[in-house]
Amino acid sequence: MLRAYPVQFAVILGLLAAACGEDMAGPTHVVNLRVLALRAAPPEVQAPVGEELASTVADALVVGAEGSLAYRWSLCLIPGAIVDGQLCMDPSLEVPLNEDTTEASVTIPVPSPEALLSQVPGDFKGFEIDLTSGVPIQLQLEVTDVVDGAEQQVRVAFKEIVISDHASTNANPILDGITWDGVLWEADQLMEVADTATGIKLMPQWSESTLETYEREGVEETETLLFSWFVDDVSSDLSKDQSDDANPHSTLTPGQLKGEEAERLVTLWLVARDGRGGVTW
């Protein structure tokens, strides 16, 4: 399992302590509410039969909140019905899974293809299901940051969950941890680094057995992993916001301290995706 992510390190006073502007935030920098990833376990579900139900459990990596978080989960029944990053184009296609909750996870009942088709409104009855190719159902999350009873920020994120008749379905990848300049970053370890440090090599760790083989258009392929890196300190720099398993590392340069600041606690997140809907962090 992934050991301790988010992980934290402390920037401590070094020889220099120059200021750095906070208007330099890039895609790696978390400066407000963000949904970094949605995960379903499993991401691909074998189609149940008749009135049977399968299930999958979804959770979210949400960071940068100022207050408490409220989660609203729902499904959009028809793939491709989401337009321009909005919710279902027709309210009749949206199936709520819960009211506002403080839980960052939800259990999703997955119906049989016949039951799914029976829920599709009449105007969309031309929708067809091909279990061999896999049928994606769109999971939607609306998360709200609530401060002193008032909604401050709202974010919406989407993820596809696949229903198929495949004998072997896709699973989420597994990360074993991160190394810090070649040394395993332990689960409960707070790393300390001078603000004059540069070039700290961060390397994801995983087993080759987590890379599944699958068939695409009659050709057997092996998954590759894509890594996304995030940090909540705008003055700290990551050399890559994304990397892959051929060149997976990112290099960290901690931000310099400001004025009389003696230390700063910084959080780092790593998200891994397998290109087929599998996610972990």
Side-chain angles (χ1 to χ4, degrees):
M1 293 180 64
L2 184 61
R3 284 179 170 264
Y5 306 110
V7 288
Q8 295 178 319
F9 62 92
V11 180
I12 59 176
L13 186 62
L15 297 177
L16 300 174
C20 179
E22 293 190 1
D23 57 351
M24 301 296 289
T28 64
H29 297 115
V30 174
V31 296
N32 50 32
L33 186 66
R34 289 179 67 177
V35 181
L36 299 187
L38 293 182
R39 173 174 55 190
E44 182 181 354
V45 181
Q46 279 190 326
V49 177
E51 297 182 0
E52 295 179 2
L53 284 175
S55 67
T56 184
V57 177
D59 60 351
L61 177 58
V62 182
V63 301
E66 297 179 7
S68 59
L69 293 175
Y71 299 84
R72 181 176 299 167
W73 299 88
S74 62
L75 292 177
C76 190
L77 291 178
I78 297 182
I82 291 175
V83 181
D84 296 331
Q86 303 300 311
L87 300 181
C88 275
M89 62 181 179
D90 188 309
S92 65
L93 296 175
E94 185 176 355
V95 179
L97 295 174
N98 69 327
E99 299 297 328
D100 286 353
T101 175
T102 58
E103 297 294 326
S105 64
V106 65
T107 299
I108 301 169
V110 178
S112 68
E114 296 80 13
L116 177 62
L117 284 173
S118 71
Q119 297 180 57
V120 176
D123 291 345
F124 299 92
K125 287 299 185 183
F127 174 57
E128 297 182 356
I129 285 181
D130 180 1
L131 291 178
T132 301
S133 298
V135 179
I137 294 179
Q138 193 87 44
L139 173 67
Q140 304 174 168
L141 169 64
E142 179 181 304
V143 59
T144 304
D145 189 4
V146 181
V147 180
D148 296 329
E151 295 184 0
Q152 297 298 314
Q153 303 177 81
V154 179
R155 299 290 184 267
V156 178
F158 310 100
K159 178 175 179 57
E160 286 188 345
I161 298 168
V162 176
I163 307 173
S164 76
D165 60 2
H166 301 158
S168 178
T169 56
N170 186 29
N172 289 314
I174 298 173
L175 289 176
D176 299 323
I178 293 176
T179 59
W180 173 291
D181 273 346
V183 178
L184 185 63
W185 197 341
E186 296 292 346
D188 57 354
Q189 184 178 10
L190 177 66
M191 307 297 282
E192 291 190 353
V193 57
D195 68 345
T196 54
T198 60
I200 299 167
K201 188 174 184 179
L202 303 174
M203 180 72 75
Q205 301 295 301
W206 72 95
S207 168
E208 289 298 318
S209 62
T210 200
L211 303 179
E212 299 174 299
T213 57
Y214 62 99
E215 188 173 293
R216 175 180 292 174
E217 297 180 354
V219 178
E220 187 174 273
E221 299 187 11
T222 300
E223 291 176 337
T224 59
L225 294 181
L226 176 67
F227 303 102
S228 300
W229 301 85
F230 306 93
V231 64
D232 67 352
D233 177 35
V234 296
S235 64
S236 293
D237 181 62
L238 287 163
S239 63
K240 302 174 185 173
D241 61 324
Q242 292 193 334
S243 58
D244 58 31
D245 54 11
N247 190 20
H249 77 279
S250 188
T251 302
L252 170 70
T253 300
Q256 295 179 345
L257 298 174
K258 302 176 181 179
E260 297 180 357
E261 188 179 19
E263 68 176 15
R264 182 187 308 137
L265 190 64
V266 179
T267 304
L268 173 77
W269 295 271
L270 171 63
V271 178
R273 295 178 171 85
D274 67 10
R276 300 198 298 143
V279 180
T280 193
W281 53 78

